[in-house]
Tab-separated table of all heavy atoms in Angstrom:
chain	number	residue	atom	x	y	z
A	127	GLU	N	-13.265	167.771	11.786
A	127	GLU	CA	-12.909	169.270	11.956
A	127	GLU	C	-14.243	170.068	11.681
A	127	GLU	O	-14.444	171.095	12.417
A	127	GLU	CB	-11.979	169.650	10.899
A	127	GLU	CG	-10.488	169.129	11.376
A	127	GLU	CD	-9.525	169.192	10.178
A	127	GLU	OE1	-9.893	169.376	9.068
A	127	GLU	OE2	-8.287	169.001	10.417
A	128	GLU	N	-15.104	169.708	10.786
A	128	GLU	CA	-16.271	170.416	10.548
A	128	GLU	C	-17.209	170.271	11.746
A	128	GLU	O	-17.813	171.262	12.131
A	128	GLU	CB	-17.017	169.789	9.401
A	128	GLU	CG	-16.650	170.297	8.028
A	128	GLU	CD	-16.801	171.833	7.861
A	128	GLU	OE1	-17.981	172.307	8.297
A	128	GLU	OE2	-15.859	172.482	7.514
A	129	TRP	N	-17.188	169.073	12.355
A	129	TRP	CA	-18.084	168.929	13.448
A	129	TRP	C	-17.671	169.855	14.657
A	129	TRP	O	-18.415	170.441	15.326
A	129	TRP	CB	-18.034	167.429	13.873
A	129	TRP	CG	-19.028	166.932	14.884
A	129	TRP	CD1	-20.141	167.761	15.447
A	129	TRP	CD2	-19.143	165.676	15.531
A	129	TRP	NE1	-20.771	166.987	16.371
A	129	TRP	CE2	-20.203	165.692	16.394
A	129	TRP	CE3	-18.463	164.556	15.375
A	129	TRP	CZ2	-20.623	164.567	17.183
A	129	TRP	CZ3	-18.773	163.411	16.067
A	129	TRP	CH2	-19.937	163.473	17.001
A	130	ILE	N	-16.364	169.796	14.843
A	130	ILE	CA	-15.789	170.627	15.999
A	130	ILE	C	-16.129	172.170	15.696
A	130	ILE	O	-16.595	172.908	16.520
A	130	ILE	CB	-14.261	170.468	16.135
A	130	ILE	CG1	-14.026	168.939	16.698
A	130	ILE	CG2	-13.646	171.519	16.970
A	130	ILE	CD1	-12.616	168.520	16.700
A	131	ARG	N	-15.827	172.500	14.439
A	131	ARG	CA	-16.129	173.970	14.032
A	131	ARG	C	-17.450	174.375	14.348
A	131	ARG	O	-17.832	175.416	14.842
A	131	ARG	CB	-15.765	174.078	12.496
A	131	ARG	CG	-15.419	175.451	12.085
A	131	ARG	CD	-14.945	175.475	10.722
A	131	ARG	NE	-16.019	175.208	9.696
A	131	ARG	CZ	-16.972	176.025	9.247
A	131	ARG	NH1	-16.919	177.230	9.637
A	131	ARG	NH2	-17.822	175.671	8.376
A	132	THR	N	-18.442	173.408	14.061
A	132	THR	CA	-19.826	173.585	14.218
A	132	THR	C	-20.202	173.835	15.695
A	132	THR	O	-20.906	174.790	16.142
A	132	THR	CB	-20.677	172.466	13.719
A	132	THR	OG1	-20.473	172.346	12.396
A	132	THR	CG2	-22.217	172.633	13.932
A	133	LEU	N	-19.672	172.996	16.558
A	133	LEU	CA	-20.011	173.068	17.951
A	133	LEU	C	-19.354	174.327	18.488
A	133	LEU	O	-19.929	175.039	19.364
A	133	LEU	CB	-19.504	171.819	18.717
A	133	LEU	CG	-20.278	170.562	18.407
A	133	LEU	CD1	-19.757	169.370	19.155
A	133	LEU	CD2	-21.818	170.810	18.877
A	134	LYS	N	-18.129	174.594	17.957
A	134	LYS	CA	-17.402	175.832	18.548
A	134	LYS	C	-18.287	177.154	18.225
A	134	LYS	O	-18.455	177.961	19.193
A	134	LYS	CB	-16.096	175.910	17.751
A	134	LYS	CG	-15.235	177.008	18.435
A	134	LYS	CD	-14.254	177.576	17.432
A	134	LYS	CE	-13.765	179.048	17.928
A	134	LYS	NZ	-13.325	179.778	16.706
A	135	HIS	N	-18.897	177.082	17.036
A	135	HIS	CA	-19.762	178.213	16.717
A	135	HIS	C	-20.915	178.349	17.779
A	135	HIS	O	-21.214	179.397	18.242
A	135	HIS	CB	-20.402	177.925	15.335
A	135	HIS	CG	-21.487	178.966	14.965
A	135	HIS	ND1	-21.116	180.214	14.669
A	135	HIS	CD2	-22.742	178.786	14.767
A	135	HIS	CE1	-22.266	180.902	14.292
A	135	HIS	NE2	-23.288	180.045	14.435
A	136	LEU	N	-21.388	177.171	18.208
A	136	LEU	CA	-22.518	177.392	19.233
A	136	LEU	C	-21.951	177.697	20.535
A	136	LEU	O	-22.507	178.568	21.251
A	136	LEU	CB	-23.183	175.856	19.243
A	136	LEU	CG	-24.103	175.575	18.133
A	136	LEU	CD1	-24.775	174.179	18.375
A	136	LEU	CD2	-25.137	176.616	17.944
A	137	TYR	N	-20.819	177.152	20.903
A	137	TYR	CA	-20.281	177.557	22.277
A	137	TYR	C	-19.844	179.001	22.316
A	137	TYR	O	-19.774	179.611	23.358
A	137	TYR	CB	-19.029	176.629	22.610
A	137	TYR	CG	-19.491	175.243	23.178
A	137	TYR	CD1	-19.345	174.128	22.445
A	137	TYR	CD2	-20.053	175.175	24.512
A	137	TYR	CE1	-19.733	172.905	23.006
A	137	TYR	CE2	-20.498	173.951	24.964
A	137	TYR	CZ	-20.291	172.838	24.235
A	137	TYR	OH	-20.784	171.584	24.759
A	138	SER	N	-19.594	179.559	21.161
A	138	SER	CA	-19.142	180.995	21.182
A	138	SER	C	-20.200	181.914	21.632
A	138	SER	O	-20.064	183.046	22.157
A	138	SER	CB	-18.802	181.470	19.658
A	138	SER	OG	-17.712	180.668	19.155
A	139	PHE	N	-21.545	181.290	21.669
A	139	PHE	CA	-22.631	182.199	22.101
A	139	PHE	C	-22.617	182.295	23.624
A	139	PHE	O	-23.007	183.206	24.266
A	139	PHE	CB	-23.927	181.598	21.840
A	139	PHE	CG	-24.391	181.842	20.304
A	139	PHE	CD1	-24.040	180.804	19.493
A	139	PHE	CD2	-24.852	183.065	19.914
A	139	PHE	CE1	-24.371	180.951	18.101
A	139	PHE	CE2	-25.174	183.202	18.643
A	139	PHE	CZ	-24.969	182.204	17.676
A	140	VAL	N	-21.810	181.345	24.337
A	140	VAL	CA	-21.922	181.293	25.745
A	140	VAL	C	-20.556	181.367	26.409
A	140	VAL	O	-20.391	181.394	27.670
A	140	VAL	CB	-22.596	180.028	26.277
A	140	VAL	CG1	-24.020	180.112	25.873
A	140	VAL	CG2	-21.968	178.741	25.671
A	141	THR	N	-19.479	181.530	25.722
A	141	THR	CA	-18.129	181.669	26.303
A	141	THR	C	-17.269	182.218	25.283
A	141	THR	O	-17.619	182.667	24.174
A	141	THR	CB	-17.622	180.215	26.756
A	141	THR	OG1	-16.414	180.508	27.611
A	141	THR	CG2	-17.320	179.300	25.677
A	142	ASN	N	-15.928	182.375	25.706
A	142	ASN	CA	-14.977	183.076	24.895
A	142	ASN	C	-14.449	182.069	23.798
A	142	ASN	O	-14.707	180.891	23.978
A	142	ASN	CB	-13.812	183.631	25.596
A	142	ASN	CG	-13.137	182.537	26.473
A	142	ASN	OD1	-12.622	181.536	25.798
A	142	ASN	ND2	-13.031	182.725	27.880
A	143	GLU	N	-13.773	182.663	22.907
A	143	GLU	CA	-13.239	181.834	21.735
A	143	GLU	C	-12.410	180.650	22.244
A	143	GLU	O	-12.681	179.524	21.686
A	143	GLU	CB	-12.379	182.612	20.866
A	143	GLU	CG	-13.115	183.618	20.097
A	143	GLU	CD	-14.010	183.087	19.075
A	143	GLU	OE1	-13.623	182.404	18.032
A	143	GLU	OE2	-15.233	183.221	19.175
A	144	LYS	N	-11.534	180.857	23.074
A	144	LYS	CA	-10.581	179.731	23.420
A	144	LYS	C	-11.261	178.566	24.084
A	144	LYS	O	-11.242	177.432	23.759
A	144	LYS	CB	-9.508	180.252	24.399
A	144	LYS	CG	-8.456	179.207	24.815
A	144	LYS	CD	-7.379	179.922	25.529
A	144	LYS	CE	-6.352	178.794	25.963
A	144	LYS	NZ	-6.915	177.979	27.077
A	145	GLU	N	-12.242	179.033	25.118
A	145	GLU	CA	-12.986	177.985	25.789
A	145	GLU	C	-13.954	177.296	24.870
A	145	GLU	O	-14.253	176.163	24.959
A	145	GLU	CB	-13.657	178.489	26.941
A	145	GLU	CG	-13.907	177.394	27.939
A	145	GLU	CD	-14.693	177.871	29.300
A	145	GLU	OE1	-15.853	178.345	29.183
A	145	GLU	OE2	-13.970	177.913	30.371
A	146	ALA	N	-14.551	178.060	23.882
A	146	ALA	CA	-15.496	177.499	22.986
A	146	ALA	C	-14.849	176.354	22.193
A	146	ALA	O	-15.448	175.352	21.941
A	146	ALA	CB	-15.934	178.654	22.036
A	147	MET	N	-13.534	176.560	21.819
A	147	MET	CA	-12.957	175.556	21.049
A	147	MET	C	-12.640	174.346	21.909
A	147	MET	O	-12.922	173.211	21.385
A	147	MET	CB	-11.540	176.176	20.510
A	147	MET	CG	-10.811	175.212	19.557
A	147	MET	SD	-11.767	175.113	17.970
A	147	MET	CE	-10.803	173.962	17.118
A	148	GLU	N	-12.258	174.605	23.130
A	148	GLU	CA	-11.993	173.402	23.935
A	148	GLU	C	-13.201	172.662	24.215
A	148	GLU	O	-13.230	171.444	24.315
A	148	GLU	CB	-11.329	173.933	25.225
A	148	GLU	CG	-9.862	174.147	25.101
A	148	GLU	CD	-9.213	174.533	26.465
A	148	GLU	OE1	-9.767	174.174	27.488
A	148	GLU	OE2	-8.150	175.200	26.493
A	149	LYS	N	-14.313	173.333	24.534
A	149	LYS	CA	-15.680	172.724	24.794
A	149	LYS	C	-16.068	171.909	23.626
A	149	LYS	O	-16.545	170.806	23.793
A	149	LYS	CB	-16.698	173.769	25.086
A	149	LYS	CG	-16.526	174.511	26.460
A	149	LYS	CD	-17.257	173.676	27.558
A	149	LYS	CE	-16.961	174.301	28.934
A	149	LYS	NZ	-17.588	173.460	30.004
Side-chain angles (χ1 to χ4, degrees):
Chain A
E127 285 165 352
E128 276 301 314
W129 190 5
I130 290 170
R131 208 173 64 83
T132 299
L133 289 178
K134 189 206 154 200
H135 173 70
L136 289 179
Y137 278 110
S138 299
F139 286 99
V140 292
T141 188
N142 62 54
E143 288 296 293
K144 183 167 175 298
E145 204 180 65
M147 190 62 182
E148 281 185 21
K149 289 269 174 191

